[in-house]
Amino acid sequence: MRHPVSRRRTRALAVGLALAAATLLPTGSAGAADQYEWAALGDSFTAGVFVGDPVPPLGDPSQDGCARTSESYPNLVERELAQSSLGKKVRLTNVACSSAVIANIAKVKQTPISPVETPPGGWPAVDTQIERAGLDADTDVVTIAIGGNSLPFGDIFPKCLELGAADKSCREYFTNPPAGVESVRERLNRVQNEYTEMLADVHRAAPNAKVITIGYPAIMPNDATACDRGSLTELGTTTHADIDWMRDDVLKPLNKRIQRAAASFGDRFVNLYSSSEDNNVCEPEGVKWMEGICGDAADYWPATFPGTDVDCAPLGKRATMIHPNAAGHANTAIHVERAVRHALGQH
């Protein structure tokens, strides 16, 4: 039987040869003559969901259920770059979509799930993000922040809440899972393979672009005992032991797998984790850059979330479902702006 490492090396070699061959083909010059083209791809951590005003505005017929907002980090970076001396305008095409998985970047249409102004029958499917962004030989920069929904965290975390409420181990469940359930190791291996294939698709679609991959910020504290167990503004009924496990065996390894996939293409990786460790979800309001299950959000965002039992109304909060707040997006914007400037030759 062929060793899995050998298969990964063979796949990486094949991808590398394909990309090398592509460079021998005639291509257009990156970027339009009067502006740089930047495409932002990703999931809800890029879309913004409840931070700022909806983009497009509420009631606009072009709303697509992806829950992009005006204060998401791509929009913050675009505004900063507009005030700088890059020589040319940077035009942002932001197609990030809440609940997106890796496959939605290049292979599979997505059905959005925004709980805001959901039309009767739900949101219609949207094209892959590569198609929506119009990636081509004129694209200068592509930023990508995705992967958590492919594990998915939306499967792991609710199970940790459920088991934690019964004082049972989430770690044990996902380390030695029952038949038919992927272990965390299997999930991480699968995500790395999916991410590598996705990057190959992005490079083929935008052969002249600098591709920037973005990791996830710190969600859990370095010491789980800092969390108020049971608090819905933090991580709910998850046990302290499982919070430590999710940090060390799920989130950190996910970032490492993303970085490893990026390195195989020579792509830049933006590390958000280090700068956000002291601003995790278990910090007080005003310090945290990550809202908990319930948290502060714009008024249009609901207190309940479809498909869950979450009801944040008694707390006077919204169903933020563990996402970056405005301060979190502002921090991400600092690091992404630096990376985009570097990609455009501005050191």
Side-chain angles (χ1 to χ4, degrees):
M1 181 176 179
R2 198 173 185 185
H3 195 277
V5 172
S6 297
R7 288 199 296 270
R8 287 197 295 272
R9 287 175 176 168
T10 299
R11 183 187 298 108
L13 177 60
V15 168
L17 289 173
L19 292 175
T23 64
L24 300 177
L25 299 175
T27 61
S29 298
D34 59 343
Q35 62 187 11
Y36 292 115
E37 297 291 337
W38 165 29
L41 319 181
D43 56 25
S44 55
F45 275 50
T46 298
V49 292
F50 54 77
V51 178
D53 298 322
V55 178
L58 294 176
D60 192 302
S62 64
Q63 270 282 353
D64 57 8
C66 286
R68 289 181 297 277
T69 62
S70 60
E71 301 304 305
S72 65
Y73 73 80
N75 291 51
L76 297 179
V77 173
E78 180 188 34
R79 293 200 288 269
E80 282 298 314
L81 293 177
Q83 304 300 317
S84 64
S85 56
L86 288 175
K88 292 195 291 186
K89 175 184 176 183
V90 178
R91 187 176 78 100
L92 168 66
T93 302
N94 184 1
V95 295
C97 196
S98 177
S99 77
V101 298
I102 294 170
N104 297 140
I105 298 294
K107 297 185 182 300
V108 180
K109 288 186 175 184
Q110 177 185 355
T111 301
I113 61 169
S114 171
V116 179
E117 295 189 338
T118 307
W123 295 102
V126 296
D127 286 333
T128 65
Q129 293 190 26
I130 278 181
E131 292 174 332
R132 300 189 86 193
L135 298 191
D136 59 20
D138 289 333
T139 305
D140 294 282
V141 180
V142 180
T143 56
I144 308 170
I146 198 126
N149 293 326
S150 292
L151 279 174
F153 272 123
D155 170 43
I156 295 173
F157 185 69
K159 193 66 178 180
C160 289
L161 288 174
E162 174 192 333
L163 293 172
D167 286 322
K168 294 182 179 179
S169 173
C170 177
R171 174 178 185 170
E172 176 61 26
Y173 180 88
F174 286 107
T175 302
N176 300 292
V181 176
E182 281 184 301
S183 69
V184 163
R185 180 177 293 275
E186 290 170 331
R187 291 166 191 249
L188 289 167
N189 288 340
R190 173 176 52 75
V191 165
Q192 183 175 335
N193 290 337
E194 291 176 1
Y195 208 101
T196 300
E197 293 173 3
M198 176 271 293
L199 286 177
D201 289 332
V202 169
H203 278 280
R204 278 192 287 267
N208 298 314
K210 299 290 187 182
V211 177
I212 300 166
T213 63
I214 303 165
Y216 287 90
I219 297 174
M220 307 86 178
N222 289 325
D223 179 0
T225 61
C227 294
D228 179 6
R229 192 173 170 214
S231 172
L232 288 177
T233 60
E234 297 180 10
L235 297 171
T237 55
T238 311
T239 67
H240 288 155
D242 283 338
I243 290 172
D244 285 333
W245 169 75
M246 283 195 291
R247 179 193 65 238
D248 293 335
D249 289 13
V250 184
L251 181 57
K252 285 184 177 181
L254 173 62
N255 278 336
K256 288 180 180 178
R257 299 302 180 100
I258 293 171
Q259 184 174 15
R260 193 177 302 162
S264 68
F265 292 89
D267 294 337
R268 187 183 181 101
F269 173 77
V270 175
N271 173 12
L272 299 178
Y273 195 97
S274 300
S275 62
S276 57
E277 286 182 280
D278 293 334
N279 307 92
N280 60 79
V281 71
C282 294
E283 293 293 328
E285 291 184 18
V287 177
K288 63 169 64 181
W289 292 349
M290 187 75 57
E291 297 299 311
I293 298 169
C294 299
D296 295 326
D299 290 343
Y300 63 83
W301 197 255
T304 60
F305 202 86
T308 74
D309 296 327
V310 172
D311 183 2
C312 302
L315 300 175
K317 301 290 185 180
R318 306 284 171 168
T320 46
M321 308 303 286
I322 313 178
H323 280 83
N325 56 27
H329 278 275
N331 178 65
T332 300
I334 292 170
H335 297 275
V336 173
E337 180 186 352
R338 185 181 303 134
V340 171
R341 285 179 180 275
H342 186 273
L344 297 176
Q346 303 294 321
H347 299 278

